[in-house]
Amino acid sequence: MEEPAKTLFSAIQPSGIITIGNYFGAIKNWVELQDDYNCMFALADLHAITVFQRPENLKKNTLEAYALLLACGIDAEKSLFFIQSQVNTHSQLAWILDCYTQFGELSRMTQFKDKSTKHSDNINCGLFAYPVLMVADILLYQVDMVPIGLDQKQHLELTRTVAERFNFLYGETFKITEAYIPKNGSKIMSLQDPGRKMSKSDENLNAWVAILDSKDEIIKKFKRAVTDSDSCVRYDDKAKPGISNLMTIYSCATGKSFDEIEKEFDGVGYGKFKEAIGECIADKFAPVQSRFNELIKDKEYLEKCYRKGAKEAFEISNRTLNEVMKKIGFVQ
Ligand code: AQP
């Protein structure tokens, strides 16, 4: 008998404009994995409000991110692709699982520490409980795998811990899911501070490259990338973090190994190397940008896709939520 297809879930926050870090760490793999898995993808807009979002920006970023992911190759016919706030099972299960997650566990989360330092004027409870909403997002769909960048590894470990705890208390309820973290590109660093990861909400616009940046902007941002005072293109992430990050980006975009890149740019200096990366990234995303420009105009099509996604996501996730509520003892 044929084995049922394996399933996966992943999500991205519309908290800014999607970067090449998000692309190489996550989206690229989502697109590739669609052939072998039953996929469920979400725009995690409920996560985005853990940091204050202007209403007009949240709406615009959400619709643009939806169109951009389709332009990158997410296939709304083949995969389930929805907007998280349109499927209310997510916040419902998150509240329940808050009661099965320890304060100490959440206090240890690196992303909470980073974001509460960055947004010290708004350390809200949602920012603290963010990982539990992510746990709920994943567990609702009983998936085999979650493809993520390295920064989300700690949250995935928490997902497994909470699922195991719940299963221990109430019997087999949640599938224990595995992380899929790509070997190359799992942590693209900031172009201005290679000690920090590239983030779409970084206020320094030169720190990140958006998929939708113009060719000029892309080339300028790579030219301004912080490197070292040496001029040899060589991979050494301890001694040469800036240049190693650029090599990683170039390798992700071209499929070339670090050895091949070192040979290609042997003796030419950083200027030429940065120029080549800028050109290569701009060319790579040019077709995505044209598809995006078409899709963003077609509001009717976008609405059809996200409504269909939300309906199907609700049907699947509500089965899990009902089982959880029954096991806990809520009156049915
Ligand atoms: N720099 C990165 N390198 C590789 N992968 C990355 N991801 C994020 N940054 C990098 C992966 O992208 C997916 C979606 O991320 P997210 O939007 O849900 O949240 P995030 O990890 O907090 O991403 P950002 O860009 O840093 O957003 P803000 O600035 O809003 O916090 C995830 O799989 C993530 O691992």
Side-chain angles (χ1 to χ4, degrees), residues 10-27 29-30 42 44 47-48 50-51 53 111 115 118-119 130 134 146-153 155 180-182 184-190 196-202 208 245:
S10 206
I12 185 163
Q13 299 179 75
S15 45
I17 304 168
I18 292 176
T19 70
I20 59 168
N22 300 128
Y23 181 80
F24 291 123
I27 301 164
N29 307 307
W30 299 1
H47 282 270
T50 53
V51 171
Q53 308 285 333
Q111 198 180 69
K115 288 208 171 169
K118 214 165 125 194
H119 304 280
Y130 169 116
M134 181 166 158
V146 182
I148 41 169
L150 199 58
D151 63 316
Q152 295 294 343
K153 186 168 175 248
H155 294 161
Y180 172 94
I181 299 174
N184 205 11
S186 65
K187 196 171 185 186
I188 302 293
M189 309 308 277
S190 153
R196 290 161 49 132
K197 85 169 181 115
M198 182 181 284
S199 268
K200 59 176 120 56
S201 59
D202 196 321
W208 45 268
N245 185 39

Side-chain angles (χ1 to χ4, degrees), residues 45-46 54 78 94 99 104 142 163 188 231 270 276 290 298 325:
D45 54 348
L46 294 173
R54 289 183 178 283
K78 199 193 268 181
C99 305
Q142 309 283 3
I188 302 293
S231 63
Y270 287 170
S290 356
D298 197 346
M325 293 183 73

Side-chain angles (χ1 to χ4, degrees), residues 97-112:
L97 295 181
D98 274 334
C99 305
Y100 297 83
T101 308
Q102 298 302 304
F103 182 86
E105 287 169 330
L106 293 182
S107 311
R108 286 194 287 277
M109 294 292 136
T110 321
Q111 198 180 69
F112 172 68

Side-chain angles (χ1 to χ4, degrees), residues 241-257:
I243 212 73
S244 302
N245 185 39
L246 295 183
M247 287 178 73
T248 302
I249 295 172
Y250 191 63
S251 165
C252 287
T254 59
K256 292 177 185 171
S257 68

Side-chain angles (χ1 to χ4, degrees), residues 223-292:
K223 267 194 190 151
R224 290 184 189 140
V226 170
T227 45
D228 49 73
S229 53
D230 188 14
S231 63
C232 171
V233 177
R234 182 171 52 80
Y235 190 88
D236 182 340
D237 59 349
K238 300 277 172 314
K240 296 160 77 68
I243 212 73
S244 302
N245 185 39
L246 295 183
M247 287 178 73
T248 302
I249 295 172
Y250 191 63
S251 165
C252 287
T254 59
K256 292 177 185 171
S257 68
F258 294 141
D259 276 353
E260 286 170 323
I261 299 172
E262 286 174 8
K263 282 196 194 102
E264 185 178 346
F265 294 97
D266 187 25
V268 303
Y270 287 170
K272 284 262 179 275
F273 178 48
K274 288 177 171 180
E275 221 175 278
I277 304 178
E279 291 281 345
C280 162
I281 293 293
D283 291 348
K284 181 172 180 63
F285 290 111
V288 174
Q289 293 188 359
S290 356
R291 274 202 298 280
F292 168 80

